[in-house]
Amino acid sequence: MGMLHWLNELLNNTENLDLNPSNLVYLEILRTVIHEQPNQRERIVKLLGECLTLSANRVDSPAVMKMKITLIDHIVLALTLGEVLIVLRFIKLWLQTSPDLGLLRHFFKQFFSAISPPFSSQLEEYLVKLLSDGVVMNALKSDDLLQRLTCETLQQVRSDHRLLRSYS
């Protein structure tokens, strides 16, 4: 799909990292592709993730932060359309880039509003690892709502494991 390659080149241009009108159009195209082309979702999450991590080590202007929040919102869209494990794999990689803690909190607010039990055993395994990660714990500890949601999610996972063991 040549269009995705073109969008990747445009969005990963370090001089083009803010939420300008052109980028809004490119992101709207990606949003449409996420909805209309399920087979391209993994590739789009990867593309969005590359854009998100492109300038991880620099101080971002408010416009760049808005762009990154929009990228996260698009990644969460893929999650809501069923691409949970693809998004969680991306988050695992993103955590290795020392992401901005505010962006992590934004992701998890969106994430917790998008998921609900029952969880598959594979998702439970990912969730326990993800929510136990030091970077994630550090990001979430400053937000009471996120701490509560994290505790509730982990309690749900533990109760699901106990229930499964009782049937075994």
Side-chain angles (χ1 to χ4, degrees):
M1 191 173 219
M3 181 190 66
L4 288 181
H5 179 73
W6 174 70
L7 288 170
N8 188 28
E9 294 296 318
L10 291 170
L11 288 170
N12 280 313
N13 179 349
T14 56
E15 297 170 7
N16 195 26
L17 286 175
D18 59 356
L19 201 56
N20 63 51
S22 296
N23 282 348
L24 286 173
V25 171
Y26 305 150
L27 289 171
E28 192 56 38
I29 292 170
L30 287 175
R31 177 180 280 282
T32 301
V33 174
I34 289 171
H35 277 287
E36 303 292 328
Q37 299 293 325
N39 293 335
Q40 296 298 326
R41 289 180 186 152
E42 184 169 8
R43 189 168 175 201
I44 292 172
V45 167
K46 183 179 180 214
L47 184 156
L48 294 168
E50 288 171 0
C51 294
L52 190 59
T53 59
L54 188 61
S55 62
N57 296 324
R58 60 173 240 199
V59 177
D60 292 327
S61 70
V64 172
M65 289 305 284
K66 284 181 184 178
M67 172 74 166
K68 288 184 174 189
I69 288 170
T70 304
L71 293 169
I72 290 170
D73 292 344
H74 280 59
I75 291 169
V76 171
L77 172 63
L79 176 111
T80 63
L81 294 171
E83 304 300 340
V84 177
L85 295 177
I86 290 170
V87 171
L88 290 178
R89 279 188 224 117
F90 157 72
I91 296 303
K92 183 179 174 184
L93 293 173
W94 186 36
L95 290 173
Q96 296 171 3
T97 68
S98 302
D100 179 90
L101 297 182
L103 291 173
L104 264 177
R105 282 188 293 275
H106 178 75
F107 169 78
F108 278 100
K109 284 179 183 175
Q110 302 296 321
F111 177 78
F112 283 126
S113 70
I115 65 167
S116 62
F119 305 124
S120 70
S121 59
Q122 190 176 16
L123 176 57
E124 286 178 350
E125 185 179 318
Y126 265 90
L127 281 174
V128 169
K129 288 179 185 175
L130 181 65
L131 296 174
S132 302
D133 183 276
V135 175
V136 173
M137 290 172 62
N138 190 34
L140 302 184
K141 74 180 180 184
S142 65
D143 188 304
D144 292 337
L145 173 64
L146 287 173
Q147 279 186 330
R148 183 178 56 75
L149 291 170
T150 300
C151 289
E152 288 173 4
T153 301
L154 290 173
Q155 286 173 348
Q156 179 66 41
V157 168
R158 287 185 193 112
S159 69
D160 287 351
H161 277 295
R162 279 188 232 122
L163 184 63
L164 284 174
R165 275 191 239 130
S166 69
Y167 284 112
S168 299

